[in-house]
Amino acid sequence: MAKRIPPVHLHHARQIEALGQRLRVARVARGMTQANLAERVGVDRTTIGKLEFGEPGTSLSTVLRVLSALGMGGDIDSLAATDTVGAQLAVRRLRRPSQRTLASHRQPNEEGNPMDQGGTGSIEQTPDRYALRATRRPDPIVPLQVDGRKLQTKKK
């Protein structure tokens, strides 16, 4: 039975094809044939041909082994090393809340003023909504031993 290849977006298909062409150029520049590369990678020659043609069904493991055999394994480490979009999103989440947000979380003191409990007027930080809550944990179960033999378990 033939392997089912999921549909690929046109833009991604072009990127896969361009990668295959770059791998072919790298192979030819090193004076290797498809058969030589396939032997080093441990796959059939037709798999190398499909990869160079840009067939999207080639496994990521095969691509990594081809890059390693061509001496380009270090290029993989730099693929997602600079995630500028992710860094920007993380910075947005780490920004301090505005003064208006902090004012809505102030606790009134004994006089009814929206100050902290100490009465100093400093703003209390809002608790992290993802922080672990202080809950009572169950007692650990300790095995009851008589003469070095475990008989039953009992709560401490």
Side-chain angles (χ1 to χ4, degrees):
M1 178 182 273
K3 185 168 112 176
R4 297 182 79 200
I5 299 172
V8 178
H9 190 272
L10 182 61
H11 176 70
H12 296 154
R14 288 183 184 149
Q15 287 179 323
I16 294 169
E17 187 177 333
L19 173 64
Q21 290 174 356
R22 289 192 299 270
L23 290 175
R24 181 180 187 280
V25 167
R27 175 184 58 80
V28 171
R30 285 158 177 77
M32 298 173 71
T33 64
Q34 285 184 349
N36 291 349
L37 182 58
E39 185 178 328
R40 286 186 176 192
V41 174
V43 296
D44 192 45
R45 186 200 55 79
T46 57
T47 303
I48 300 297
K50 289 177 183 179
L51 176 64
E52 291 180 356
F53 183 69
E55 187 172 307
T58 308
S59 73
L60 182 59
S61 174
T62 303
V63 173
L64 291 175
R65 291 191 320 238
V66 166
L67 286 170
S68 178
L70 292 173
M72 300 166 53
D75 294 347
I76 290 295
D77 295 332
S78 65
L79 279 181
T82 55
D83 183 14
T84 55
V85 174
Q88 290 171 353
L89 291 172
V91 167
R92 286 183 190 160
R93 277 184 262 142
L94 293 177
R95 287 191 182 147
R96 294 180 178 257
S98 66
Q99 292 297 325
R100 187 176 354 155
T101 305
L102 289 175
S104 67
H105 291 288
R106 291 182 187 167
Q107 300 290 330
N109 63 5
E110 295 166 4
E111 294 88 30
N113 295 331
M115 297 172 63
D116 66 337
Q117 297 299 333
T120 60
S122 64
I123 298 172
E124 189 175 307
Q125 291 293 326
T126 58
D128 184 12
R129 68 179 180 174
Y130 297 109
L132 294 175
R133 290 176 172 63
T135 58
R136 186 180 183 300
R137 293 188 176 145
D139 294 328
I141 297 176
V142 179
L144 184 64
Q145 293 184 1
V146 175
D147 297 330
R149 296 180 299 166
K150 295 180 184 177
L151 296 177
Q152 60 185 4
T153 56
K154 173 180 144 181
K155 286 193 174 184
K156 198 174 188 179

